[in-house]
Amino acid sequence: MTYILDVIKGIMIGIANVIPGVSGGTMALSLGIYDKLIGAISHLLSDFKKSVLTLLPILIGCAIGIIGFAYAIEFLLSKHTFVTCMAFVGLILGGLPILFRSLSKKLKESNSGVGVSGVLSFVILFTVAVALPLFNSEEELMTTLTPTPGTMALLLIIGVIASATMVIPGVSGSMVLMILGYYYGIIDSIKTFLDGLKAFNMDVVIDRTLVLFPFGIGVLLGIFLIAKLITFLFEKYGIQTYCAILGLIFASPFAIFYNTGLLGQLSTLSIISIITGLLLAIVCGIITYYIGEK
């Protein structure tokens, strides 16, 4: 049962990593497996077998979520933008009770309050999370990535940057890819690779592999490197780290609405769409809370 739940949680993390403005790290934290995930990555070399067994179901779920949602994301956000975004908001905010309990535990352990440093951590990261999407250009590059040596080397670096932000709770790797102008190129490469695989078109498969492979290596490298930093921050600066995460999470709805172009559509929404979106947000929030408690 635990294995199946981890696969399901992995699917949700994978989906979160595809959605601009939604953090896979936040989703992992909300689902209650963040510490287990980071711990397994941190001890991958020292306890390889146990770490692999821990990571395997989560990674399988992530792959399913990323592949499946790569096809669905464009349709959902173009045809049902508000309802889809509200579902994302519910999924994120549903994990807040778990985060508040984790912060309370840290406060009891340290026998102190949040303090000025905690408040500053919240405010600074909230401000950064709100300001970050504003750098996203309205006309993002949507050209197909060509596997030249220069592009492949750059994709390795982009993979490191994106994965680092994917691991950090509250920060969206997809949003960073958008800012860098590589989001649609990566999503298009995944879809084209799968289409080529289904059609047994090996020329397309090889071409897209040359694009996705260096990016994937960068992702794995970034996750491994940043995991040790996150572990250090939680151990040494737990209260400030949780406050910073909460600041990022509270700013997430703005990031989602801005990056999907929903802010300009709010005045045109129908009553039915608003009610449906709110209900779906509540349902998704309950689901996140329930799974996180498991």
Side-chain angles (χ1 to χ4, degrees), residues 6-63:
D6 281 348
V7 171
I8 294 173
K9 292 176 181 181
I11 291 174
M12 296 178 71
I13 294 170
I15 291 174
N17 277 321
V18 177
I19 303 165
V22 180
S23 166
T26 297
M27 188 60 67
L29 197 56
S30 299
L31 294 171
I33 61 170
Y34 186 80
D35 291 340
K36 181 167 71 173
L37 185 61
I38 293 298
I41 295 171
S42 299
H43 297 92
L44 186 60
L45 297 179
S46 61
D47 197 350
F48 183 77
K49 183 178 180 180
K50 182 179 179 181
S51 295
V52 169
L53 291 176
T54 300
L55 292 171
L56 187 61
I58 300 173
L59 293 177
I60 290 173
C62 281

Side-chain angles (χ1 to χ4, degrees), residues 5-285:
L5 279 174
D6 281 348
V7 171
I8 294 173
K9 292 176 181 181
I11 291 174
M12 296 178 71
I13 294 170
I15 291 174
N17 277 321
V18 177
I19 303 165
V22 180
S23 166
T26 297
M27 188 60 67
L29 197 56
S30 299
L31 294 171
I33 61 170
Y34 186 80
D35 291 340
K36 181 167 71 173
L37 185 61
I38 293 298
I41 295 171
S42 299
H43 297 92
L44 186 60
L45 297 179
S46 61
D47 197 350
F48 183 77
K49 183 178 180 180
K50 182 179 179 181
S51 295
V52 169
L53 291 176
T54 300
L55 292 171
L56 187 61
I58 300 173
L59 293 177
I60 290 173
C62 281
I64 294 172
I66 291 172
I67 292 171
F69 215 71
Y71 282 97
I73 185 70
E74 185 177 356
F75 172 79
L76 289 173
L77 289 176
S78 62
K79 301 297 182 181
H80 307 284
T81 310
F82 178 73
V83 174
T84 303
C85 288
M86 289 303 292
F88 299 159
V89 171
L91 288 171
I92 293 175
L93 298 185
L96 283 176
I98 296 173
L99 292 176
F100 280 123
R101 283 204 299 271
S102 298
L103 175 59
S104 296
K105 183 179 179 181
K106 285 289 183 181
L107 291 172
K108 289 180 180 178
E109 290 176 354
S110 62
N111 194 28
S112 64
V114 171
V116 176
S117 60
V119 174
L120 284 176
S121 299
F122 178 91
V123 173
I124 292 172
L125 271 295
F126 179 88
T127 303
V128 169
V130 169
L132 190 60
L134 300 177
F135 289 97
N136 188 23
S137 62
E138 295 182 359
E139 297 181 359
E140 181 187 347
L141 295 176
M142 297 181 68
T143 56
T144 300
L145 296 173
T146 303
T148 62
T151 300
M152 292 169 69
L154 187 58
L155 284 170
L156 177 67
I157 298 172
I158 295 295
V160 173
I161 296 172
S163 66
T165 55
M166 288 175 189
V167 172
I168 301 172
V171 182
S172 169
S174 294
M175 186 170 67
V176 172
L177 285 177
M178 270 193 166
I179 294 170
L180 297 174
Y182 283 83
Y183 177 75
Y184 286 108
I186 295 297
I187 293 296
D188 176 73
S189 294
I190 294 173
K191 292 166 63 178
T192 304
F193 173 84
L194 294 173
D195 290 339
L197 201 61
K198 288 189 291 185
F200 295 102
N201 188 333
M202 296 311 298
D203 289 336
V204 172
V205 171
I206 293 172
D207 182 76
R208 290 303 90 190
T209 298
L210 291 175
V211 170
L212 294 173
F213 182 75
F215 178 77
I217 294 298
V219 167
L220 293 176
L221 182 61
I223 289 175
F224 180 75
L225 293 176
I226 202 69
K228 293 184 178 297
L229 174 60
I230 295 298
T231 301
F232 170 77
L233 289 175
F234 273 113
E235 289 178 354
K236 300 296 183 180
Y237 305 100
I239 295 174
Q240 293 84 354
T241 302
Y242 274 112
C243 287
I245 290 170
L246 287 171
L248 290 167
I249 290 177
F250 276 109
S252 291
F254 172 79
I256 295 171
F257 278 40
Y258 184 88
N259 281 302
T260 56
L262 187 58
L263 290 178
Q265 303 175 25
L266 293 178
S267 61
T268 63
L269 294 175
S270 66
I271 296 298
I272 294 177
S273 294
I274 294 173
I275 294 175
T276 303
L278 290 173
L279 289 175
L280 191 58
I282 294 171
V283 171
C284 288

